[in-house]
Each structure stands twice: as structure tokens, then as C-alpha cells.
Amino acid sequence: MNNKDWFRLKRYPHLGIPLNHTDRNWVFNYVKDPNRIKTHAFFPFIHKTLIQRKFRKEKNIDGSRAKLRTPGKKTRHIYYANHLDSNIYSFYAQKLSSFYEQKLIELKLEECITAYRRIQLNPLQNKSRNKCNIDFASEVFEFIKKSEKTELVAITFDIESFFDNLDHKFLKRSWRKMLGSGKDLPGDHYNVFRNITKFSFIEECDIFNEFKNHIITETKNKDQKNKKVHKRKYLKNKGAIAFCNKNSIGERIRGKNLIKNNKYFDKTKTSLRNKGIPQGSPISSILANIYLFDFDHEINTLINQLRGLYRRYSDNMVVVCDAKFEQEVINLLNFEISNCNLNFQTKKTQVFLFQKINNRYHCREKNLNTSSLQSNTKFEYLGFSFDGMYTYLKTASLATYYRKMKRSIRRGYFFSKFGNIKNKHEVFKRRLYKKYTYLGASRRRKYQRDPLDSNRWVISTKFDWGNYISYAKMAGKFIPDNKINKQIKNHWKKLHLLLKP
């Protein structure tokens, strides 16, 4: 990595006006001065909750899956930092990452830890793309296919509330070991550590309601003005760059008790919070990785001795090994994760048995309570499913894609009927084609109107990054022996069936 990586210019609204290119020099000088960071006063995070609908197949008492999918919700708590604070976190994340990468190479762990890292597909090529979940999943599936064992097991584990349960003392010890700083963290690192573990925050809805009548916005000509914004979802469209100026934190924010302290477990302030870091800050991902460094080393050492495979993608782990070592591996992982003051979600621990019949593997899921085997199941990993020979898109992700398509078409018909538009009862198909079909799957530069001549179009610096079909086609290109193109071949037909009034 070079030094340009950590300096980021973001435009999301927070406390104070965002940084711009003219601030680059003083931000570099400030962030790289340990004495300044040692005494830096961090602003509160802004907290928002993301709710994602999930449709899961419930299991019957005997372990088999029910036919009906039950709706549920997955809640994620996101905390985002003030613009200067965000660059401080990014700088220290880069410093920690350089130490972390060196340690991974020393202990030959660079292939095992796949999340939050830049891993080139072909290190010998300068312009090689970085690996993604497509490549990570394919490596696990290919390991299984190339094995000579008669029976293999793939065991998946998921850590319970990973970021919320990181123990502060354990994290501090891991941080010190990564730096090689002895008993104490350097003053600047300690101030960053203290703020990321004992942080304060403001609810996004509270700060919006306080300042919604005069949100600071910016026009395309870079003119700043205060605007009234009726709903939070309109902030981006209105060009919002700040909820308020920094001097408003005294009267308007502290004065109305909008700042909440995460230092204590409850309102009585009798018990200090000793675990959890905010998810969403630039430094959270590297802290999650260094927290499990010793764990990764121990597990990978044993699995290598068993001639198996160990991979961890954030809080999701998979071990592939000879079937006779199944219980030994489960016991070891449970023991080692408890040493990190963490736990696995027992409901999400799964065992898939691969048995070689007629020179190819066949997959069946094992019920951990009854040890019975369920037929017609596939091993699911990082958005893909694998039956021992062929790879498929995970049915849940494909279903989500079609659900979004259906919802967009319904919205299109609603606004064509009731919206205040010129072309009544007409659905804008071009937008739907771009979002949901192969016509929008190509990744290319966007065009924009020339600011000096409205009749002329010029190439912009922004890109169209494609859609779900782009992702599916990329997976179909790089994963051997897959049925992905067959899964998506009818997407055009399904869209037009939904378009019929």
C-alpha cells in the first residue's frame, strides 16, 4: 500500500463540513504527528440501523428442511465517523495492516484469511485484479474435488455477534503484540484504541430531526446553502454534506443530550463496557483480524497436520478435512474460540459430508443432533452452493435478485399510474433493463452533459459497475464446472412476464 490509500474524501453528512483536496497537506501533517493524535478529541460517531429482510427455510424436528420459507430480519448497527476522525482511523488501520501482513507471511497464513484484505489473483502481474468471494469459494470447492479421500467433511462456523463481542483487554493485548510495543501501547495508538472501545455516538434520526430545517447542502457548482429536507432518505438527492457546523455541538447537541455514551453497559453507569467495537469505522476490519491472529495460527497449524484446508472470511470459517477428524476439529475450534472470549452460533454450525461414488463426490448435510444424513443438499459458502461436482449461485441470493426485480416493476407501475409525470401509464423499461438484465451488465464509464454545451455529451470520471447479472457472469467465467449461466438464462423472460399488466 502507498500513503495515498488512507486519505479519503467522502461526502456523507456528519458534524462539520467535509474535507476537500485543499485540506490534503494539513491533514497529512496532522494525522502523521503522534503528539497531536495522542491528545486528539474525537467527535461522536453517528449511528444508524440497517434492516435486511431474510427468508430462511426452517428445519423440522428430524433435521430436514421445511418447504416453506419464513420471513425474518437481520439488523446491523453501523457507526460512521467525522471526516477528520475517519482519516485518522484509516491511517492507523494502514499502519496496523502493514504489521499484520508481515506476520501473515512469516507464519504462512496469507491464504487463510480472506476478508478485509487485498489479495492479488496473480501477484506476478502488476495489473492483476484482487481476489473476491468468487475466487475464495472456488478455491474451497476445487480443494474438495481434487482430494483423494473417500470421505471428506466441510464444517462451517459462524461467530456470534462478532464485532459486538470483541473483548477490550484481549484486543489491546493483540494490538500490542502486533506492534511489538511491550506492556503498553504508544500514546497515539492508545488514544485511538480508547476511542474505538469507549466511544460516544448520536442517533442519525435525532440529529436529522434537530437540523432538518437547515441541512447544509452543496450544489453542482460547489455553492453551499442551507435547505429544508423532509426525510432522511432525501439527504443524498438534496446534496447534503453536513447536518450542522462543528460549533453547533455545544448548544444544539450537548445541550439537548443528543450524545449517547457507550462507555457503560446500562443507564446506572455502574458497570463499564468491556467488549464491542463499532462496525463501520475504517479501523474496525483490521482490528477484527488482528484479534483472531493467534486463533488463526493455532487452527491452521492443526488443519495442515490433518492435510485439510482452513479459511476464515471475517466471522465465517470453514474447515475441510478427512471425515474421521470431524469431532476432533469441532472440539478444537470450540476450545480455541472460547480462549478468545467468543462463541460460535450453534444454529449456524453445519457439517457437510462428501462421499466419493463413481469417481466424484456427492454432498449430504449431517444433522448434528441425530447424526442422520439429509439427501439433496448442497454445501453453501460465500454466496455459492456446491454439490460435490458443480457450483451454483446460492438460491437465496438468486431469489433476492428476483424479489428486487418484482418490487421495482410494481413501483414502476404505481408511479406511472399515480405519479405526476407526463407519460401516464407508461413504465420506464430502460431503467429496469439497466438494473436487472444483461443490457446493464457491462461495466463502463458514464457519460454526462458538457457543462459548457448542454447538447453535447462527454465521458465522466464515474463508472457503471454493472448489476447482479454482471456478478453472475463473472462467477460463471472464473469458477470451473458451474451451472450459473443456466440459472440466470431466463432472467429476460421473467422480467417481461412481470411487465405484463
Side-chain angles (χ1 to χ4, degrees), residues 102-246:
Q102 290 174 9
K103 296 278 188 183
L104 290 181
I105 294 171
E106 288 174 11
L107 298 179
K108 298 181 180 180
L109 289 169
E110 63 267 29
E111 295 295 325
C112 300
I113 319 306
T114 55
Y116 315 128
R117 297 176 57 225
R118 295 177 182 176
I119 307 172
Q120 283 190 312
L121 182 65
N122 188 345
L124 300 178
Q125 295 180 1
N126 292 330
K127 294 185 178 181
S128 171
R129 69 171 177 87
N130 292 325
K131 289 183 179 181
C132 62
N133 65 313
I134 294 172
D135 306 291
F136 302 140
S138 180
E139 287 174 1
V140 174
F141 301 155
E142 287 301 298
F143 179 87
I144 294 172
K145 285 197 292 186
K146 293 177 180 178
S147 175
E148 296 180 356
K149 303 290 184 181
T150 305
E151 288 189 344
L152 283 177
V153 285
I155 315 170
T156 60
F157 303 85
D158 195 297
I159 299 175
E160 184 178 358
S161 301
F162 187 32
F163 286 90
D164 294 334
N165 284 321
L166 297 184
D167 184 273
H168 293 168
K169 288 184 178 179
F170 194 97
L171 175 62
K172 187 179 180 182
R173 185 164 63 246
S174 301
W175 199 323
R176 290 200 322 263
K177 287 177 66 176
M178 198 56 56
L179 296 178
S181 62
K183 294 183 179 180
D184 297 309
L185 284 172
D188 54 332
H189 282 265
Y190 178 73
N191 194 29
V192 175
F193 163 79
R194 182 176 60 184
N195 187 72
I196 206 71
T197 53
K198 302 292 189 294
F199 58 94
S200 59
F201 63 94
I202 305 170
E203 294 290 351
E204 188 183 56
C205 57
D206 291 342
I207 194 169
F208 172 77
N209 289 333
E210 179 63 28
F211 295 99
K212 65 182 179 181
N213 291 326
H214 38 265
I215 298 288
I216 302 173
T217 64
E218 187 176 80
T219 65
K220 292 182 179 179
N221 296 326
K222 306 299 180 183
D223 295 327
Q224 293 181 8
K225 57 176 70 175
N226 289 1
K227 280 185 183 179
K228 182 176 181 178
V229 182
H230 295 282
K231 294 183 180 181
R232 279 186 290 163
K233 63 181 180 180
Y234 300 148
L235 285 169
K236 185 175 181 180
N237 288 339
K238 294 291 184 180
I241 58 171
F243 290 107
C244 61
N245 289 311
K246 291 181 181 179

Side-chain angles (χ1 to χ4, degrees), residues 356-387:
K356 186 168 283 188
I357 303 171
N358 296 328
N359 207 31
R360 63 150 287 187
Y361 282 112
H362 295 265
C363 176
R364 291 194 289 174
E365 185 177 354
K366 187 175 183 180
N367 187 315
L368 293 179
N369 296 320
T370 64
S371 296
S372 60
L373 295 174
Q374 181 185 346
S375 59
N376 299 322
T377 55
K378 297 183 181 70
F379 166 43
E380 294 183 345
Y381 183 61
L382 297 184
F384 298 93
S385 58
F386 178 64
D387 65 1

Side-chain angles (χ1 to χ4, degrees), residues 16 43 244-252:
F43 277 79
C244 61
N245 289 311
K246 291 181 181 179
N247 55 17
S248 298
I249 197 169
E251 294 182 20
R252 301 286 296 275

